Amino acid sequence: MADQLIPANIVIGDRTYRIKIRMQDEEAVRATVKLINEKILEFKTQFSAKDMQDYIAMVLVWYATEQSSSTRSQLDTRAIEEKLEQMEQFLDKMKQG
């Protein structure tokens, strides 16, 4: 039962994503999404970019760099890679559709 997935709607930038997460991960996921959106806003005020995808890319680089320099050994990098691949596939589908 601990690994049961629950649906969650998250908003990153200007888009809503429906994802499934483990119940025990919900708080961490929401905190991460909040941090991402705060960084997007920060980058929007500091830099000029063409669109939201540029800001998300900036945040992704910042986040990956931050994680690798501070708590890389504590992260389950494979799980993160899988989630990023899922998001990339979803974004690719959105572009095509």
Side-chain angles (χ1 to χ4, degrees):
M1 279 284 196
D3 286 343
Q4 183 177 1
L5 299 178
I6 60 170
N9 290 320
I10 61 169
V11 177
I12 296 177
D14 297 331
R15 287 197 178 167
T16 301
Y17 300 95
R18 185 149 176 90
I19 62 172
K20 291 191 177 202
I21 56 176
R22 294 182 307 176
M23 190 178 302
Q24 64 267 30
D25 294 337
E26 182 177 13
E27 186 177 337
V29 169
R30 295 205 184 275
T32 301
V33 169
K34 182 177 186 245
L35 177 62
I36 289 168
N37 285 315
E38 288 171 354
K39 280 294 177 183
I40 288 172
L41 185 59
E42 182 181 323
F43 285 134
K44 281 175 99 172
T45 60
Q46 291 180 357
F47 303 105
S48 174
K50 289 191 302 186
D51 57 22
M52 184 59 69
Q53 185 173 353
D54 292 336
Y55 295 115
I56 292 172
M58 290 179 201
V59 172
L60 180 61
V61 170
W62 168 84
Y63 191 77
T65 304
E66 186 74 18
Q67 294 303 315
S68 66
S69 66
S70 61
T71 59
R72 187 55 131 180
S73 63
Q74 296 175 357
L75 296 175
D76 180 2
T77 56
R78 185 63 201 145
I80 292 171
E81 289 171 358
E82 289 174 3
K83 292 294 181 191
L84 289 173
E85 287 172 13
Q86 289 174 357
M87 289 180 75
E88 184 177 349
Q89 290 172 0
F90 179 79
L91 290 172
D92 287 344
K93 286 181 187 177
M94 295 298 290
K95 283 183 190 178
Q96 294 171 359

